[in-house]
Amino acid sequence: MNFETISVIGLGYIGLPTAAMFASRKKKVIGVDVNESAVDTINQGKVHIVEPELDMIVHSVVTEGYLKAVTMPEPADAFLIAVPTPFKSTDNNAAIPEPNLKYIESAAKAIALVLKKGDLVILESTSPVGATEQMAGWLAEVRGDLSFPAMKGEDSDIRIAYCPERVLPGHVVRELVENDRVIGGLTPKCSQAAIELYKIFVKGECIVTNARTAEMVKLTENASRDVNIAFANELSIICEEQDINVWELIELANRHPRVNILQPGPGVGGHCIAVDPWFIVAKNPEQAQLIHTARKVNDSKPEFVINKVKSVIYELASKQGIQPSQLTLVCLGLSFKADIDDLRESPALYVASAISSIHKGKTLVVEPNIKELPAELNVLELESLECAIEQADIILTLVDHKEFKSLNRSILDGKCILDIKNIFS
Ligand code: SAJ
């Protein structure tokens, strides 16, 4: 197939880098986003998200005229949908959060208006099993004049596939090119068309399966990591009771040739690993026992850390014969993992915020990757690393940023350290 014009719907953490990669291979790319300010920023050759190397690529492809951003879809030969799939309800008491496909639905209905015979539509958004068939249904609802794989199979006017993104934030530009892709076409011809599209910039292997398997592969990858992290977090809670150093325990157990335990921490954050396993649980609540339990273990870890901090504050105050409010607490790190600025679903942010409302004394936070605190944390003070440590009575490590790892240990002398990320031992 000849892809002269490629359109990417949703210009966020995945869509913008993907659009930029196609454009860097001298394809005409139309990026579509409902966020006007993001569209304006991109059309100025700038980026609204932080991702290494992306700013340079976007600047050059916009300047050279290969990428433009718009708010309404325009005709193209291939459409990639990379919009978010949040939960249905914001009600935190819901036992099992359900995925909300409203953004996929509105993206599908918007591109349906400009679809023409021969076009390829790919869903990249992390989605529950069955979402690609559902998306095809939404396209067909709007375009009764076109045929789709569900009715015409290989002879359909429109080709449809599910191809999940699997790139790691912070390494997106490299991983987009190098990672293998799973291609789940609704028919073999759909898969073939999708491979031809991705081969424009993907150097990894493109492996074909059906759409439902491809959807489940994506969810499985992130659920697998979640279950493994839950195991490490559960060990950390058991070790606390048993007075065993969990880091030493894991290091020793990992000397076994077939054991590879991940690292415990304050919980699991980000918009993927803490979210995607629920898409499996929501569809198969009876069967997904282990995946569900892992979610609960990881979600309970921030409370465990908060309770630990409370008891350390009271123990230290009583040892020093002072009021807890006279102690200064420093939280190291707010982002959801090391060396990024992304605070979304961050357990470190949750812990710091909870502590600020519990601890009556001063609470300082150090987050080298941001310039100001989000509004909901304005009761806290953002401080530089050295200044915060100088004032600290208690230091709580929440994220293992490189700046913390390279800290001169001598300035920690005499401080009470709660090293949740094992930075200083
Ligand atoms: N974490 C731990 N212990 C560990 C590893 C991670 O507590 O040993 C925590 C991190 O601190 C963070 C969370 O888990 O809070 C998630 O971090 P991550 O680095 O495991 O993953 P993400 O969310 O940045 O990216 C994941 C990746 N998926 C897998 O590695 C299977 C990435 O490849 C996906 O593309 C991405 O989700 C996504 O978009 O789905």
Side-chain angles (χ1 to χ4, degrees):
M1 284 180 81
N2 201 10
F3 299 108
E4 289 300 326
T5 306
I6 300 163
S7 184
V8 179
I9 322 298
L11 296 173
Y13 281 83
I14 301 300
L16 180 57
T18 303
M21 292 316 292
F22 281 117
S24 73
R25 300 303 188 267
K26 309 217 175 299
K27 290 285 169 188
K28 184 180 168 209
V29 180
I30 303 169
V32 186
D33 203 293
V34 289
N35 179 344
E36 279 181 29
S37 115
V39 164
D40 289 345
T41 306
I42 294 163
N43 285 333
Q44 289 164 29
K46 297 183 190 149
V47 293
H48 60 296
I49 54 176
V50 176
E51 183 59 45
E53 296 173 52
L54 184 64
D55 49 352
M56 278 157 25
I57 302 174
V58 168
H59 183 261
S60 91
V61 293
V62 171
T63 314
E64 289 167 20
Y66 290 108
L67 172 65
K68 73 165 181 178
V70 294
T71 52
M72 293 298 287
E74 294 178 11
D77 305 312
F79 295 85
L80 284 99
I81 298 185
V83 296
T85 34
F87 293 133
K88 241 180 204 158
S89 153
T90 49
D91 174 8
N92 289 332
N93 297 323
I96 300 176
E98 298 230 3
N100 189 341
L101 304 189
K102 66 178 177 183
Y103 297 118
I104 296 180
E105 181 176 0
S106 47
K109 289 183 172 168
I111 63 170
L113 299 171
V114 295
L115 272 187
K116 60 185 185 319
K117 191 172 172 184
D119 284 354
L120 167 68
V121 181
I122 293 182
L123 180 60
E124 280 210 6
S125 309
T126 303
S127 304
V129 173
T132 310
E133 289 149 291
Q134 169 77 77
M135 178 192 76
W138 284 318
L139 294 171
E141 252 177 51
V142 180
R143 294 299 300 270
D145 56 321
L146 292 170
S147 65
F148 291 84
M151 337 156 190
K152 284 276 187 71
E154 291 294 38
D155 298 325
S156 64
D157 292 334
I158 305 296
R159 311 240 180 267
I160 293 179
Y162 182 75
C163 307
E165 62 80 15
R166 345 158 81 173
V167 288
L168 196 66
H171 302 266
V172 168
V173 171
R174 179 177 55 78
E175 289 208 354
L176 268 178
V177 174
E178 290 178 4
N179 287 4
D180 292 344
R181 299 287 310 213
V182 174
I183 310 274
L186 287 186
T187 69
K189 268 193 189 164
C190 296
S191 298
Q192 203 44 48
I195 292 179
E196 281 173 41
L197 179 71
Y198 283 109
K199 277 296 171 191
I200 291 170
F201 71 80
V202 171
K203 291 202 178 120
E205 206 178 319
C206 292
I207 304 136
V208 171
T209 182
N210 57 49
R212 293 175 79 83
T213 308
E215 289 159 347
M216 190 64 179
V217 166
K218 171 66 194 183
L219 302 179
T220 301
E221 290 166 357
N222 282 353
S224 151
R225 197 148 166 89
D226 198 42
V227 168
N228 282 300
I229 299 168
F231 183 65
N233 276 330
E234 185 164 288
L235 285 176
S236 73
I237 295 168
I238 294 168
C239 285
E240 181 75 24
E241 286 290 311
Q242 297 293 336
D243 199 18
I244 290 169
N245 180 330
V246 68
W247 301 94
E248 185 189 2
L249 173 89
I250 291 174
E251 198 183 323
L252 294 177
N254 280 350
R255 295 276 182 131
H256 186 288
R258 284 172 297 283
V259 173
N260 186 12
I261 304 168
L262 294 178
Q263 309 293 296
V268 167
H271 34 283
C272 308
I273 299 207
V275 174
D276 304 352
W278 286 118
F279 292 10
I280 301 177
V281 180
K283 279 251 163 174
N284 289 80
E286 289 299 316
Q287 295 82 11
Q289 299 291 327
L290 177 64
I291 298 170
H292 194 173
T293 304
R295 268 295 62 244
K296 289 199 276 191
V297 169
N298 285 333
D299 273 356
S300 71
K301 192 66 196 293
E303 287 304 328
F304 174 84
V305 173
I306 293 162
N307 286 331
K308 180 77 193 153
V309 174
K310 273 195 225 162
S311 61
V312 166
I313 292 172
Y314 283 100
E315 274 165 32
L316 188 65
S318 99
K319 202 167 131 198
Q320 295 189 355
I322 57 173
Q323 290 300 313
S325 59
Q326 291 172 269
L327 294 171
T328 296
L329 192 121
V330 170
C331 298
L332 295 187
L334 281 184
S335 59
F336 87 81
K337 66 176 189 177
D339 306 325
I340 57 168
D341 68 335
D342 194 340
L343 306 185
R344 289 181 295 173
E345 313 295 328
S346 169
L349 187 133
Y350 178 84
V351 169
S353 153
I355 289 170
S356 71
S357 54
I358 296 162
H359 180 48
K360 299 286 171 265
K362 197 191 255 188
T363 305
L364 304 172
V365 289
V366 182
E367 177 43 77
N369 301 296
I370 60 170
K371 293 198 173 58
E372 56 185 48
L373 287 170
E376 72 266 25
L377 281 191
N378 58 13
V379 285
L380 295 172
E381 288 175 47
L382 189 64
E383 190 52 280
S384 71
L385 183 56
E386 278 75 16
C387 278
I389 296 215
E390 204 178 300
Q391 299 174 61
D393 296 299
I394 300 169
I395 297 169
L396 171 67
T397 72
L398 293 170
V399 188
D400 49 344
H401 288 312
K402 58 181 186 316
E403 292 83 354
F404 307 156
K405 290 193 204 157
S406 61
L407 191 71
N408 179 355
R409 305 294 151 94
S410 64
I411 68 169
L412 300 171
D413 287 350
K415 311 286 181 189
C416 168
I417 301 175
L418 199 50
D419 199 1
I420 303 297
K421 285 306 292 179
N422 194 37
I423 299 174
F424 301 127
S425 59

